Amino acid sequence: MNGSNRIMERALTEARAAAARGEVPVGAVIVLDGEVLASAGNRTRELNDVTAHAEILAIREASAKLGSERLINADLYVTLEPCAMCAAAISFARIRRLYYGAEDPKGGGVDHGGRFYAQPTCHHAPEVYSGIAERQAASILKEFFANRR
Ligand SMILES: [Zn+2]
């Protein structure tokens, strides 16, 4: 198992914990210089906050820890393709690399929908690596929505 899969495993653990709380199971981890700065799962229901996506919560935690609004040289791992809001936040935080698991053709904003990083109005685009532990990430989501029906 290589390094990025190990960190994605931690994001998957956050996603499973989110599912156990009744939240859409998405987890995110931010790493800087090989060290985990922050990890979070979705908490939109718990916090009554549509912006409480895993990526946003992890960015807030990492920024607070570093005392900086910018997370230069940090990498973000997330189990699902980020939505437009999170794609923008990742850009604003100047995150270096984005690793994501499952694609999200319905709600993604990186390789689907608005394709935020491909727009001329985007001033910082991270390097994007998709399909990291994709099968596990997708099956957690699939199971969650199947159980809700
Ligand atoms: Zn999002």
Side-chain angles (χ1 to χ4, degrees), residues 42 50-51 53-56 81-87 107:
N42 261 339
V50 294
T51 71
H53 284 185
E55 300 96 309
I56 302 287
E81 178 183 347
C83 71
M85 170 183 73
C86 293

Side-chain angles (χ1 to χ4, degrees), residues 10 17 32 34 36 38 47-48 50-51 55 71 76-77 87 95-96 100 109-111 114 127 135 148-149:
R10 183 148 174 182
L32 178 65
V36 171
L47 300 176
N48 297 315
V50 294
T51 71
E55 300 96 309
L71 302 172
L76 187 144
Y77 293 72
I95 283 172
R96 180 178 61 176
Y100 75 78
V110 174
D111 292 314
E127 291 169 39
R135 215 152 27 91
R148 293 224 301 190
R149 243 172 254 134

Side-chain angles (χ1 to χ4, degrees), residues 23-103:
E23 304 275 359
V24 172
V26 178
V29 175
I30 295 177
V31 176
L32 178 65
D33 297 331
E35 243 175 88
V36 171
L37 269 186
S39 71
N42 261 339
R43 292 189 185 270
T44 56
R45 292 182 60 194
E46 178 189 327
L47 300 176
N48 297 315
D49 179 358
V50 294
T51 71
H53 284 185
E55 300 96 309
I56 302 287
L57 296 178
I59 287 170
R60 283 185 187 142
E61 189 185 329
S63 294
K65 214 173 256 184
L66 289 182
S68 168
E69 66 184 313
R70 290 192 172 168
L71 302 172
I72 294 173
N73 292 326
D75 300 330
L76 187 144
Y77 293 72
V78 60
T79 56
L80 182 67
E81 178 183 347
C83 71
M85 170 183 73
C86 293
I90 288 164
S91 167
F92 297 159
R94 298 292 189 269
I95 283 172
R96 180 178 61 176
R97 295 189 186 121
L98 164 65
Y99 298 86
Y100 75 78
E103 292 200 334

